[in-house]
Amino acid sequence: MPPLILASTSRYRQELLARLRLPFACVAPHVDEAALPGEAPAALAERLALAKARAVAALHPDAIVLGSDQVADLAGEALGKPGTHDAAAAQLRRMSGREVVFQTAVAVVAPGLAAIERAEVRVTVRALTDAAIETYLQADQPYDCAGSAKVESLGIALLDSVVSDDPTALIGLPLIRTCALLRRAGLEPLA
Protein backbone atom coordinates (compact mmCIF):
# COMPACT_ATOMS: atom_id res chain seq x y z
CA MET A 1 0.00 0.00 0.00
CA PRO A 2 1.39 3.44 -0.84
CA PRO A 3 2.12 5.72 2.11
CA LEU A 4 -0.51 8.23 3.18
CA ILE A 5 0.68 11.82 3.55
CA LEU A 6 -1.22 14.80 4.90
CA ALA A 7 -0.04 17.93 3.10
CA SER A 8 -0.43 20.11 6.17
CA THR A 9 1.22 21.36 9.32
CA SER A 10 -2.17 22.00 10.95
CA ARG A 11 -2.45 20.23 14.29
CA TYR A 12 -6.25 20.31 13.88
CA ARG A 13 -6.11 18.40 10.60
CA GLN A 14 -3.58 15.98 12.04
CA GLU A 15 -5.85 15.24 15.00
CA LEU A 16 -8.83 14.72 12.71
CA LEU A 17 -7.02 12.41 10.27
CA ALA A 18 -5.69 10.40 13.24
CA ARG A 19 -9.32 9.49 14.05
CA LEU A 20 -9.29 7.21 10.99
CA ARG A 21 -6.52 5.14 12.62
CA LEU A 22 -4.46 5.01 9.45
CA PRO A 23 -0.71 5.54 9.59
CA PHE A 24 0.26 8.80 7.92
CA ALA A 25 3.05 11.33 7.69
CA CYS A 26 2.76 15.11 7.54
CA VAL A 27 4.65 17.23 5.04
CA ALA A 28 4.43 21.03 4.80
CA PRO A 29 3.08 21.95 1.36
CA HIS A 30 4.74 25.39 0.97
CA VAL A 31 1.90 26.88 -1.07
CA ASP A 32 1.10 30.59 -1.37
CA GLU A 33 -2.35 30.89 0.23
CA ALA A 34 -3.19 34.35 -1.12
CA ALA A 35 -6.50 34.67 -2.93
CA LEU A 36 -6.50 35.49 -6.61
CA PRO A 37 -8.23 38.73 -7.65
CA GLY A 38 -12.00 38.19 -7.57
CA GLU A 39 -11.68 34.59 -6.37
CA ALA A 40 -14.75 33.35 -4.51
CA PRO A 41 -14.19 31.75 -1.09
CA ALA A 42 -15.33 28.27 -2.25
CA ALA A 43 -13.04 28.42 -5.29
CA LEU A 44 -10.15 29.58 -3.10
CA ALA A 45 -10.60 26.66 -0.69
CA GLU A 46 -10.73 24.15 -3.56
CA ARG A 47 -7.74 25.63 -5.39
CA LEU A 48 -5.60 25.66 -2.25
CA ALA A 49 -6.56 22.13 -1.16
CA LEU A 50 -5.56 20.77 -4.57
CA ALA A 51 -2.41 22.91 -4.75
CA LYS A 52 -1.26 21.63 -1.35
CA ALA A 53 -1.85 18.01 -2.33
CA ARG A 54 -0.09 18.47 -5.69
CA ALA A 55 2.90 20.25 -4.12
CA VAL A 56 3.56 17.37 -1.74
CA ALA A 57 2.72 14.69 -4.35
CA ALA A 58 5.43 16.17 -6.58
CA LEU A 59 7.93 15.29 -3.83
CA HIS A 60 6.32 11.91 -3.08
CA PRO A 61 4.88 10.64 -6.40
CA ASP A 62 4.07 7.14 -5.13
CA ALA A 63 2.09 8.35 -2.10
CA ILE A 64 -1.56 9.05 -1.47
CA VAL A 65 -1.52 12.74 -0.55
CA LEU A 66 -4.34 14.66 1.12
CA GLY A 67 -4.53 18.45 0.99
CA SER A 68 -7.17 20.58 2.67
CA ASP A 69 -8.07 24.20 3.10
CA GLN A 70 -10.79 26.19 4.82
CA VAL A 71 -12.08 29.67 4.08
CA ALA A 72 -14.72 31.51 6.06
CA ASP A 73 -17.16 33.22 3.70
CA LEU A 74 -18.82 36.36 5.07
CA ALA A 75 -21.27 37.56 2.39
CA GLY A 76 -18.86 36.58 -0.37
CA GLU A 77 -15.73 37.90 1.33
CA ALA A 78 -13.03 35.41 2.27
CA LEU A 79 -11.94 35.56 5.91
CA GLY A 80 -8.75 33.68 6.62
CA LYS A 81 -6.72 33.04 9.73
CA PRO A 82 -6.50 36.26 11.72
CA GLY A 83 -2.95 35.75 13.01
CA THR A 84 -3.26 38.31 15.81
CA HIS A 85 -5.55 39.15 18.70
CA ASP A 86 -6.65 42.46 17.18
CA ALA A 87 -7.42 40.88 13.79
CA ALA A 88 -9.41 38.10 15.48
CA ALA A 89 -11.42 40.63 17.51
CA ALA A 90 -12.18 42.57 14.32
CA GLN A 91 -13.29 39.39 12.53
CA LEU A 92 -15.60 38.39 15.37
CA ARG A 93 -17.12 41.87 15.53
CA ARG A 94 -17.86 41.69 11.78
CA MET A 95 -19.34 38.19 12.12
CA SER A 96 -21.51 39.10 15.13
CA GLY A 97 -25.19 38.41 14.47
CA ARG A 98 -24.52 37.12 10.95
CA GLU A 99 -24.34 33.89 9.00
CA VAL A 100 -20.88 32.73 7.98
CA VAL A 101 -20.37 29.90 5.50
CA PHE A 102 -17.23 27.87 6.07
CA GLN A 103 -15.95 26.35 2.82
CA THR A 104 -13.72 23.38 3.55
CA ALA A 105 -12.14 21.52 0.67
CA VAL A 106 -10.15 18.28 0.71
CA ALA A 107 -8.21 16.91 -2.22
CA VAL A 108 -6.41 13.65 -2.88
CA VAL A 109 -3.54 13.21 -5.32
CA ALA A 110 -2.28 9.68 -5.90
CA PRO A 111 -0.87 7.77 -8.86
CA GLY A 112 -3.50 8.15 -11.58
CA LEU A 113 -5.87 10.22 -9.44
CA ALA A 114 -6.50 13.86 -8.57
CA ALA A 115 -9.88 14.52 -6.98
CA ILE A 116 -11.45 17.11 -4.74
CA GLU A 117 -14.52 17.37 -2.50
CA ARG A 118 -15.91 20.39 -0.68
CA ALA A 119 -18.06 20.64 2.42
CA GLU A 120 -20.08 23.70 3.28
CA VAL A 121 -20.92 24.55 6.89
CA ARG A 122 -23.43 27.30 7.64
CA VAL A 123 -22.82 28.94 11.00
CA THR A 124 -24.98 31.59 12.64
CA VAL A 125 -22.92 33.70 15.02
CA ARG A 126 -24.92 35.11 17.90
CA ALA A 127 -24.81 38.85 18.64
CA LEU A 128 -21.53 39.35 20.49
CA THR A 129 -20.47 42.07 22.90
CA ASP A 130 -16.90 43.33 22.95
CA ALA A 131 -16.57 41.84 26.44
CA ALA A 132 -17.70 38.40 25.21
CA ILE A 133 -15.26 38.59 22.30
CA GLU A 134 -12.40 39.52 24.60
CA THR A 135 -13.23 36.76 27.09
CA TYR A 136 -13.37 34.22 24.29
CA LEU A 137 -10.12 35.33 22.64
CA GLN A 138 -8.24 35.25 25.94
CA ALA A 139 -9.50 31.72 26.58
CA ASP A 140 -9.02 30.05 23.18
CA GLN A 141 -6.54 32.27 21.30
CA PRO A 142 -7.86 31.04 17.90
CA TYR A 143 -5.44 33.10 15.84
CA ASP A 144 -4.64 30.16 13.56
CA CYS A 145 -8.29 29.40 12.75
CA ALA A 146 -10.29 30.72 9.81
CA GLY A 147 -13.08 32.83 11.25
CA SER A 148 -11.33 33.30 14.61
CA ALA A 149 -13.16 30.55 16.49
CA LYS A 150 -12.67 26.96 17.61
CA VAL A 151 -16.05 25.26 17.53
CA GLU A 152 -14.54 22.20 19.21
CA SER A 153 -13.69 24.35 22.23
CA LEU A 154 -15.22 27.43 23.86
CA GLY A 155 -15.96 28.88 20.40
CA ILE A 156 -19.20 26.90 20.42
CA ALA A 157 -20.52 29.53 22.86
CA LEU A 158 -20.25 32.15 20.09
CA LEU A 159 -22.81 30.39 17.93
CA ASP A 160 -26.56 30.11 17.59
CA SER A 161 -26.45 27.26 15.05
CA VAL A 162 -24.29 25.03 12.86
CA VAL A 163 -25.66 23.26 9.78
CA SER A 164 -23.54 20.69 7.96
CA ASP A 165 -23.65 17.18 6.52
CA ASP A 166 -20.01 16.53 7.50
CA PRO A 167 -19.53 17.47 11.18
CA THR A 168 -15.73 17.63 11.16
CA ALA A 169 -15.65 20.05 8.23
CA LEU A 170 -15.91 23.04 10.55
CA ILE A 171 -12.76 21.97 12.40
CA GLY A 172 -10.81 21.82 9.13
CA LEU A 173 -10.99 18.35 7.55
CA PRO A 174 -14.32 16.88 6.40
CA LEU A 175 -13.77 13.25 7.35
CA ILE A 176 -16.81 11.83 5.53
CA ARG A 177 -15.50 13.30 2.27
CA THR A 178 -11.93 12.35 3.19
CA CYS A 179 -12.97 8.70 3.59
CA ALA A 180 -14.68 8.80 0.19
CA LEU A 181 -11.54 10.21 -1.44
CA LEU A 182 -9.31 7.65 0.27
CA ARG A 183 -11.53 4.86 -1.04
CA ARG A 184 -11.19 6.30 -4.55
CA ALA A 185 -7.41 6.16 -4.07
CA GLY A 186 -7.65 2.49 -3.05
CA LEU A 187 -7.28 2.97 0.71
CA GLU A 188 -10.24 1.69 2.75
CA PRO A 189 -10.24 3.13 6.28
CA LEU A 190 -12.21 0.13 7.60
CA ALA A 191 -10.01 -2.56 6.02
Short mmCIF file of all heavy atoms in Angstrom, two decimals, residues 87-148:
data_model
loop_
_atom_site.label_atom_id
_atom_site.label_comp_id
_atom_site.label_asym_id
_atom_site.label_seq_id
_atom_site.Cartn_x
_atom_site.Cartn_y
_atom_site.Cartn_z
N ALA A 87 -6.76 41.32 15.03
CA ALA A 87 -7.42 40.88 13.79
C ALA A 87 -8.56 39.91 14.11
O ALA A 87 -9.62 39.96 13.48
CB ALA A 87 -6.42 40.25 12.84
N ALA A 88 -8.36 39.04 15.09
CA ALA A 88 -9.41 38.10 15.48
C ALA A 88 -10.60 38.85 16.08
O ALA A 88 -11.76 38.55 15.77
CB ALA A 88 -8.87 37.08 16.49
N ALA A 89 -10.34 39.84 16.92
CA ALA A 89 -11.42 40.63 17.51
C ALA A 89 -12.21 41.34 16.40
O ALA A 89 -13.45 41.38 16.43
CB ALA A 89 -10.87 41.63 18.51
N ALA A 90 -11.51 41.88 15.43
CA ALA A 90 -12.18 42.57 14.32
C ALA A 90 -13.04 41.60 13.52
O ALA A 90 -14.17 41.93 13.13
CB ALA A 90 -11.15 43.26 13.43
N GLN A 91 -12.51 40.40 13.26
CA GLN A 91 -13.29 39.39 12.53
C GLN A 91 -14.56 39.04 13.29
O GLN A 91 -15.64 39.00 12.71
CB GLN A 91 -12.48 38.12 12.29
CG GLN A 91 -11.66 38.12 11.04
CD GLN A 91 -11.07 36.74 10.73
OE1 GLN A 91 -11.31 35.75 11.44
NE2 GLN A 91 -10.29 36.67 9.67
N LEU A 92 -14.43 38.78 14.57
CA LEU A 92 -15.60 38.39 15.37
C LEU A 92 -16.62 39.51 15.45
O LEU A 92 -17.83 39.25 15.41
CB LEU A 92 -15.17 37.91 16.76
CG LEU A 92 -14.44 36.57 16.78
CD1 LEU A 92 -13.88 36.27 18.17
CD2 LEU A 92 -15.35 35.44 16.31
N ARG A 93 -16.17 40.75 15.54
CA ARG A 93 -17.12 41.87 15.53
C ARG A 93 -17.88 41.92 14.20
O ARG A 93 -19.09 42.15 14.19
CB ARG A 93 -16.41 43.19 15.79
CG ARG A 93 -16.11 43.44 17.26
CD ARG A 93 -15.71 44.89 17.54
NE ARG A 93 -14.41 45.23 16.97
CZ ARG A 93 -13.24 44.97 17.54
NH1 ARG A 93 -13.19 44.36 18.70
NH2 ARG A 93 -12.11 45.30 16.95
N ARG A 94 -17.20 41.68 13.10
CA ARG A 94 -17.86 41.69 11.78
C ARG A 94 -18.82 40.52 11.63
O ARG A 94 -19.84 40.62 10.96
CB ARG A 94 -16.80 41.62 10.67
CG ARG A 94 -16.01 42.92 10.58
CD ARG A 94 -15.09 42.97 9.38
NE ARG A 94 -15.86 42.86 8.16
CZ ARG A 94 -15.45 42.17 7.10
NH1 ARG A 94 -14.30 41.54 7.12
NH2 ARG A 94 -16.19 42.12 6.01
N MET A 95 -18.51 39.39 12.24
CA MET A 95 -19.34 38.19 12.12
C MET A 95 -20.53 38.21 13.08
O MET A 95 -21.48 37.46 12.89
CB MET A 95 -18.48 36.94 12.37
CG MET A 95 -17.43 36.72 11.29
SD MET A 95 -16.10 35.54 11.72
CE MET A 95 -16.93 34.24 12.56
N SER A 96 -20.48 39.04 14.09
CA SER A 96 -21.51 39.10 15.13
C SER A 96 -22.90 39.27 14.53
O SER A 96 -23.15 40.17 13.74
CB SER A 96 -21.19 40.27 16.08
OG SER A 96 -22.21 40.39 17.05
N GLY A 97 -23.80 38.35 14.91
CA GLY A 97 -25.19 38.41 14.47
C GLY A 97 -25.41 38.03 13.02
O GLY A 97 -26.50 38.25 12.49
N ARG A 98 -24.42 37.42 12.39
CA ARG A 98 -24.52 37.12 10.95
C ARG A 98 -24.26 35.65 10.67
O ARG A 98 -23.70 34.93 11.49
CB ARG A 98 -23.51 37.96 10.17
CG ARG A 98 -23.76 39.45 10.33
CD ARG A 98 -22.74 40.29 9.66
NE ARG A 98 -22.86 40.22 8.20
CZ ARG A 98 -22.01 40.80 7.37
NH1 ARG A 98 -20.99 41.49 7.83
NH2 ARG A 98 -22.18 40.68 6.07
N GLU A 99 -24.65 35.24 9.47
CA GLU A 99 -24.34 33.89 9.00
C GLU A 99 -22.98 33.91 8.30
O GLU A 99 -22.69 34.80 7.51
CB GLU A 99 -25.39 33.38 8.03
CG GLU A 99 -25.08 31.96 7.55
CD GLU A 99 -26.08 31.41 6.57
OE1 GLU A 99 -26.03 31.81 5.38
OE2 GLU A 99 -26.91 30.58 6.99
N VAL A 100 -22.17 32.92 8.61
CA VAL A 100 -20.88 32.73 7.98
C VAL A 100 -20.88 31.32 7.39
O VAL A 100 -21.31 30.37 8.06
CB VAL A 100 -19.71 32.88 8.99
CG1 VAL A 100 -18.37 32.71 8.30
CG2 VAL A 100 -19.79 34.21 9.71
N VAL A 101 -20.44 31.21 6.15
CA VAL A 101 -20.37 29.90 5.50
C VAL A 101 -18.91 29.49 5.45
O VAL A 101 -18.08 30.19 4.86
CB VAL A 101 -20.97 29.94 4.08
CG1 VAL A 101 -20.89 28.55 3.45
CG2 VAL A 101 -22.41 30.44 4.13
N PHE A 102 -18.59 28.38 6.09
CA PHE A 102 -17.23 27.87 6.07
C PHE A 102 -17.12 26.89 4.91
O PHE A 102 -17.84 25.89 4.86
CB PHE A 102 -16.88 27.19 7.40
CG PHE A 102 -16.63 28.19 8.49
CD1 PHE A 102 -17.69 28.75 9.19
CD2 PHE A 102 -15.35 28.58 8.81
CE1 PHE A 102 -17.48 29.69 10.18
CE2 PHE A 102 -15.12 29.52 9.81
CZ PHE A 102 -16.19 30.07 10.49
N GLN A 103 -16.22 27.20 3.98
CA GLN A 103 -15.95 26.35 2.82
C GLN A 103 -14.70 25.54 3.14
O GLN A 103 -13.63 26.11 3.33
CB GLN A 103 -15.71 27.23 1.57
CG GLN A 103 -16.82 28.21 1.27
CD GLN A 103 -18.07 27.54 0.71
OE1 GLN A 103 -18.07 26.35 0.40
NE2 GLN A 103 -19.13 28.29 0.58
N THR A 104 -14.85 24.24 3.26
CA THR A 104 -13.72 23.38 3.55
C THR A 104 -13.57 22.38 2.42
O THR A 104 -14.49 21.61 2.13
CB THR A 104 -13.93 22.64 4.89
OG1 THR A 104 -14.21 23.59 5.91
CG2 THR A 104 -12.67 21.86 5.26
N ALA A 105 -12.41 22.41 1.79
CA ALA A 105 -12.14 21.52 0.67
C ALA A 105 -11.07 20.52 1.07
O ALA A 105 -10.16 20.84 1.84
CB ALA A 105 -11.70 22.31 -0.55
N VAL A 106 -11.18 19.31 0.53
CA VAL A 106 -10.15 18.28 0.71
C VAL A 106 -9.89 17.67 -0.65
O VAL A 106 -10.81 17.42 -1.43
CB VAL A 106 -10.57 17.22 1.77
CG1 VAL A 106 -11.84 16.49 1.39
CG2 VAL A 106 -9.43 16.24 2.03
N ALA A 107 -8.61 17.47 -0.93
CA ALA A 107 -8.21 16.91 -2.22
C ALA A 107 -7.31 15.71 -1.97
O ALA A 107 -6.59 15.64 -0.97
CB ALA A 107 -7.46 17.94 -3.05
N VAL A 108 -7.34 14.77 -2.90
CA VAL A 108 -6.41 13.65 -2.88
C VAL A 108 -5.67 13.62 -4.21
O VAL A 108 -6.27 13.82 -5.27
CB VAL A 108 -7.11 12.29 -2.60
CG1 VAL A 108 -8.04 11.89 -3.72
CG2 VAL A 108 -6.10 11.19 -2.33
N VAL A 109 -4.37 13.42 -4.13
CA VAL A 109 -3.54 13.21 -5.32
C VAL A 109 -2.77 11.92 -5.06
O VAL A 109 -2.11 11.77 -4.04
CB VAL A 109 -2.59 14.39 -5.59
CG1 VAL A 109 -1.65 14.07 -6.74
CG2 VAL A 109 -3.38 15.66 -5.88
N ALA A 110 -2.93 10.99 -5.99
CA ALA A 110 -2.28 9.68 -5.90
C ALA A 110 -1.95 9.26 -7.32
O ALA A 110 -2.43 9.87 -8.28
CB ALA A 110 -3.22 8.68 -5.23
N PRO A 111 -1.16 8.22 -7.49
CA PRO A 111 -0.87 7.77 -8.86
C PRO A 111 -2.16 7.55 -9.65
O PRO A 111 -3.03 6.78 -9.24
CB PRO A 111 -0.10 6.47 -8.64
CG PRO A 111 0.58 6.66 -7.31
CD PRO A 111 -0.44 7.42 -6.49
N GLY A 112 -2.33 8.29 -10.73
CA GLY A 112 -3.50 8.15 -11.58
C GLY A 112 -4.76 8.82 -11.07
O GLY A 112 -5.83 8.62 -11.64
N LEU A 113 -4.68 9.61 -10.02
CA LEU A 113 -5.87 10.22 -9.44
C LEU A 113 -5.58 11.61 -8.89
O LEU A 113 -4.59 11.82 -8.19
CB LEU A 113 -6.40 9.34 -8.29
CG LEU A 113 -7.61 9.87 -7.51
CD1 LEU A 113 -8.85 9.94 -8.39
CD2 LEU A 113 -7.86 9.03 -6.28
N ALA A 114 -6.45 12.54 -9.21
CA ALA A 114 -6.50 13.86 -8.57
C ALA A 114 -7.98 14.19 -8.43
O ALA A 114 -8.69 14.29 -9.44
CB ALA A 114 -5.77 14.91 -9.39
N ALA A 115 -8.46 14.29 -7.21
CA ALA A 115 -9.88 14.52 -6.98
C ALA A 115 -10.05 15.47 -5.80
O ALA A 115 -9.18 15.56 -4.93
CB ALA A 115 -10.59 13.20 -6.70
N ILE A 116 -11.19 16.13 -5.80
CA ILE A 116 -11.45 17.11 -4.74
C ILE A 116 -12.92 17.04 -4.33
O ILE A 116 -13.79 16.74 -5.15
CB ILE A 116 -11.08 18.53 -5.21
CG1 ILE A 116 -11.12 19.52 -4.05
CG2 ILE A 116 -11.94 18.99 -6.36
CD1 ILE A 116 -10.37 20.79 -4.31
N GLU A 117 -13.16 17.30 -3.07
CA GLU A 117 -14.52 17.37 -2.50
C GLU A 117 -14.57 18.63 -1.64
O GLU A 117 -13.55 19.06 -1.09
CB GLU A 117 -14.81 16.16 -1.61
CG GLU A 117 -14.83 14.84 -2.33
CD GLU A 117 -16.20 14.47 -2.85
OE1 GLU A 117 -17.19 15.10 -2.42
OE2 GLU A 117 -16.26 13.57 -3.69
N ARG A 118 -15.75 19.20 -1.52
CA ARG A 118 -15.91 20.39 -0.68
C ARG A 118 -17.12 20.22 0.22
O ARG A 118 -18.16 19.72 -0.20
CB ARG A 118 -16.09 21.64 -1.54
CG ARG A 118 -16.19 22.93 -0.72
CD ARG A 118 -16.18 24.17 -1.60
NE ARG A 118 -17.08 24.10 -2.73
CZ ARG A 118 -18.37 24.44 -2.69
NH1 ARG A 118 -18.91 24.85 -1.56
NH2 ARG A 118 -19.11 24.36 -3.77
N ALA A 119 -16.96 20.64 1.46
CA ALA A 119 -18.06 20.64 2.42
C ALA A 119 -18.37 22.08 2.79
O ALA A 119 -17.46 22.90 2.96
CB ALA A 119 -17.68 19.85 3.67
N GLU A 120 -19.64 22.37 2.92
CA GLU A 120 -20.08 23.70 3.28
C GLU A 120 -20.76 23.63 4.65
O GLU A 120 -21.62 22.79 4.86
CB GLU A 120 -21.06 24.19 2.22
CG GLU A 120 -21.46 25.62 2.34
CD GLU A 120 -22.33 26.05 1.17
OE1 GLU A 120 -21.77 26.33 0.09
OE2 GLU A 120 -23.56 26.09 1.36
N VAL A 121 -20.34 24.50 5.55
CA VAL A 121 -20.92 24.55 6.89
C VAL A 121 -21.49 25.95 7.11
O VAL A 121 -20.75 26.94 7.01
CB VAL A 121 -19.88 24.23 7.98
CG1 VAL A 121 -20.52 24.27 9.36
CG2 VAL A 121 -19.20 22.90 7.73
N ARG A 122 -22.77 26.01 7.38
CA ARG A 122 -23.43 27.30 7.64
C ARG A 122 -23.49 27.52 9.15
O ARG A 122 -24.06 26.70 9.87
CB ARG A 122 -24.82 27.33 7.04
CG ARG A 122 -24.78 27.26 5.53
CD ARG A 122 -26.13 27.48 4.88
NE ARG A 122 -25.95 27.59 3.45
CZ ARG A 122 -25.60 28.70 2.81
NH1 ARG A 122 -25.42 29.80 3.50
NH2 ARG A 122 -25.43 28.71 1.51
N VAL A 123 -22.91 28.62 9.58
CA VAL A 123 -22.82 28.94 11.00
C VAL A 123 -23.52 30.27 11.23
O VAL A 123 -23.27 31.24 10.51
CB VAL A 123 -21.34 29.04 11.42
CG1 VAL A 123 -21.21 29.57 12.84
CG2 VAL A 123 -20.65 27.70 11.29
N THR A 124 -24.39 30.33 12.23
CA THR A 124 -24.98 31.59 12.64
C THR A 124 -24.30 32.02 13.93
O THR A 124 -24.34 31.31 14.94
CB THR A 124 -26.50 31.47 12.85
OG1 THR A 124 -27.09 30.97 11.65
CG2 THR A 124 -27.11 32.81 13.21
N VAL A 125 -23.62 33.15 13.86
CA VAL A 125 -22.92 33.70 15.02
C VAL A 125 -23.92 34.54 15.80
O VAL A 125 -24.63 35.36 15.22
CB VAL A 125 -21.72 34.55 14.57
CG1 VAL A 125 -20.97 35.13 15.77
CG2 VAL A 125 -20.76 33.73 13.70
N ARG A 126 -23.98 34.32 17.10
CA ARG A 126 -24.92 35.11 17.90
C ARG A 126 -24.40 36.54 18.01
O ARG A 126 -23.24 36.82 17.69
CB ARG A 126 -25.13 34.48 19.27
CG ARG A 126 -23.94 34.50 20.18
CD ARG A 126 -24.26 33.78 21.51
NE ARG A 126 -23.15 33.88 22.43
CZ ARG A 126 -22.93 34.92 23.23
NH1 ARG A 126 -23.75 35.95 23.24
NH2 ARG A 126 -21.89 34.92 24.04
N ALA A 127 -25.24 37.46 18.43
CA ALA A 127 -24.81 38.85 18.64
C ALA A 127 -23.80 38.87 19.79
O ALA A 127 -24.08 38.37 20.88
CB ALA A 127 -26.01 39.73 18.96
N LEU A 128 -22.63 39.40 19.52
CA LEU A 128 -21.53 39.35 20.49
C LEU A 128 -21.19 40.74 21.03
O LEU A 128 -21.10 41.70 20.25
CB LEU A 128 -20.28 38.76 19.83
CG LEU A 128 -20.41 37.37 19.22
CD1 LEU A 128 -19.17 37.02 18.42
CD2 LEU A 128 -20.66 36.35 20.31
N THR A 129 -20.97 40.83 22.32
CA THR A 129 -20.47 42.07 22.90
C THR A 129 -18.95 42.08 22.81
O THR A 129 -18.31 41.02 22.67
CB THR A 129 -20.88 42.20 24.38
OG1 THR A 129 -20.25 41.13 25.11
CG2 THR A 129 -22.40 42.13 24.54
N ASP A 130 -18.36 43.25 22.93
CA ASP A 130 -16.90 43.33 22.95
C ASP A 130 -16.33 42.54 24.12
O ASP A 130 -15.28 41.92 24.02
CB ASP A 130 -16.44 44.79 23.00
CG ASP A 130 -16.59 45.50 21.66
OD1 ASP A 130 -16.77 44.82 20.62
OD2 ASP A 130 -16.54 46.74 21.64
N ALA A 131 -17.04 42.57 25.25
CA ALA A 131 -16.57 41.84 26.44
C ALA A 131 -16.58 40.33 26.18
O ALA A 131 -15.64 39.62 26.56
CB ALA A 131 -17.44 42.17 27.65
N ALA A 132 -17.64 39.83 25.52
CA ALA A 132 -17.70 38.40 25.21
C ALA A 132 -16.58 38.01 24.24
O ALA A 132 -15.95 36.96 24.39
CB ALA A 132 -19.06 38.04 24.62
N ILE A 133 -16.33 38.86 23.26
CA ILE A 133 -15.26 38.59 22.30
C ILE A 133 -13.92 38.53 23.01
O ILE A 133 -13.12 37.61 22.79
CB ILE A 133 -15.26 39.66 21.17
CG1 ILE A 133 -16.48 39.47 20.27
CG2 ILE A 133 -13.96 39.61 20.37
CD1 ILE A 133 -16.73 40.59 19.28
N GLU A 134 -13.67 39.48 23.88
CA GLU A 134 -12.40 39.52 24.60
C GLU A 134 -12.23 38.31 25.51
O GLU A 134 -11.16 37.69 25.55
CB GLU A 134 -12.28 40.82 25.41
CG GLU A 134 -10.94 41.03 26.06
CD GLU A 134 -9.78 41.11 25.07
OE1 GLU A 134 -9.98 41.54 23.91
OE2 GLU A 134 -8.65 40.73 25.45
N THR A 135 -13.29 37.94 26.22
CA THR A 135 -13.23 36.76 27.09
C THR A 135 -12.92 35.51 26.26
O THR A 135 -12.06 34.71 26.64
CB THR A 135 -14.56 36.57 27.84
OG1 THR A 135 -14.76 37.71 28.68
CG2 THR A 135 -14.57 35.31 28.67
N TYR A 136 -13.61 35.38 25.14
CA TYR A 136 -13.37 34.22 24.29
C TYR A 136 -11.94 34.20 23.76
O TYR A 136 -11.26 33.17 23.83
CB TYR A 136 -14.36 34.17 23.11
CG TYR A 136 -13.93 33.09 22.15
CD1 TYR A 136 -14.00 31.76 22.53
CD2 TYR A 136 -13.36 33.40 20.93
CE1 TYR A 136 -13.52 30.75 21.71
CE2 TYR A 136 -12.89 32.40 20.10
CZ TYR A 136 -12.96 31.08 20.50
OH TYR A 136 -12.48 30.10 19.69
N LEU A 137 -11.46 35.30 23.23
CA LEU A 137 -10.12 35.33 22.64
C LEU A 137 -9.04 35.04 23.68
O LEU A 137 -8.05 34.36 23.38
CB LEU A 137 -9.87 36.65 21.93
CG LEU A 137 -10.69 36.89 20.67
CD1 LEU A 137 -10.42 38.27 20.10
CD2 LEU A 137 -10.44 35.80 19.63
N GLN A 138 -9.22 35.54 24.88
CA GLN A 138 -8.24 35.25 25.94
C GLN A 138 -8.23 33.77 26.29
O GLN A 138 -7.18 33.19 26.58
CB GLN A 138 -8.54 36.10 27.19
CG GLN A 138 -8.28 37.57 27.02
CD GLN A 138 -6.82 37.89 26.78
OE1 GLN A 138 -5.91 37.24 27.28
NE2 GLN A 138 -6.58 38.92 25.97
N ALA A 139 -9.39 33.14 26.22
CA ALA A 139 -9.50 31.72 26.58
C ALA A 139 -8.96 30.79 25.50
O ALA A 139 -8.21 29.86 25.80
CB ALA A 139 -10.95 31.37 26.89
N ASP A 140 -9.34 31.01 24.25
CA ASP A 140 -9.02 30.05 23.18
C ASP A 140 -7.85 30.47 22.28
O ASP A 140 -7.24 29.62 21.65
CB ASP A 140 -10.25 29.81 22.30
CG ASP A 140 -10.96 28.51 22.62
OD1 ASP A 140 -10.53 27.80 23.54
OD2 ASP A 140 -11.96 28.21 21.93
N GLN A 141 -7.60 31.76 22.17
CA GLN A 141 -6.54 32.27 21.30
C GLN A 141 -6.57 31.59 19.92
O GLN A 141 -5.59 30.96 19.50
CB GLN A 141 -5.18 32.12 21.97
CG GLN A 141 -5.13 32.86 23.29
CD GLN A 141 -3.81 32.74 24.02
OE1 GLN A 141 -2.86 32.13 23.55
NE2 GLN A 141 -3.76 33.33 25.19
N PRO A 142 -7.67 31.74 19.17
CA PRO A 142 -7.86 31.04 17.90
C PRO A 142 -7.25 31.77 16.71
O PRO A 142 -7.85 31.88 15.64
CB PRO A 142 -9.39 31.02 17.79
CG PRO A 142 -9.78 32.34 18.37
CD PRO A 142 -8.84 32.54 19.53
N TYR A 143 -6.05 32.25 16.86
CA TYR A 143 -5.44 33.10 15.84
C TYR A 143 -5.00 32.33 14.60
O TYR A 143 -4.70 32.93 13.57
CB TYR A 143 -4.28 33.89 16.45
CG TYR A 143 -4.66 34.54 17.76
CD1 TYR A 143 -3.87 34.41 18.89
CD2 TYR A 143 -5.85 35.27 17.88
CE1 TYR A 143 -4.25 35.00 20.10
CE2 TYR A 143 -6.23 35.85 19.07
CZ TYR A 143 -5.42 35.71 20.18
OH TYR A 143 -5.81 36.29 21.37
N ASP A 144 -5.00 31.00 14.71
CA ASP A 144 -4.64 30.16 13.56
C ASP A 144 -5.85 29.46 12.96
O ASP A 144 -5.72 28.48 12.24
CB ASP A 144 -3.58 29.13 13.96
CG ASP A 144 -4.06 28.18 15.06
OD1 ASP A 144 -5.09 28.46 15.71
OD2 ASP A 144 -3.40 27.15 15.27
N CYS A 145 -7.04 30.00 13.22
CA CYS A 145 -8.29 29.40 12.75
C CYS A 145 -9.05 30.38 11.85
O CYS A 145 -9.28 31.52 12.25
CB CYS A 145 -9.19 29.03 13.92
SG CYS A 145 -8.49 27.83 15.05
N ALA A 146 -9.45 29.90 10.68
CA ALA A 146 -10.29 30.72 9.81
C ALA A 146 -11.55 31.10 10.56
O ALA A 146 -12.19 30.26 11.18
CB ALA A 146 -10.64 29.95 8.53
N GLY A 147 -11.89 32.39 10.54
CA GLY A 147 -13.08 32.83 11.25
C GLY A 147 -12.89 33.08 12.73
O GLY A 147 -13.84 33.40 13.43
N SER A 148 -11.68 32.92 13.24
CA SER A 148 -11.33 33.30 14.61
C SER A 148 -12.08 32.56 15.70
O SER A 148 -12.36 33.11 16.77
CB SER A 148 -11.53 34.82 14.82
OG SER A 148 -10.78 35.55 13.90
#
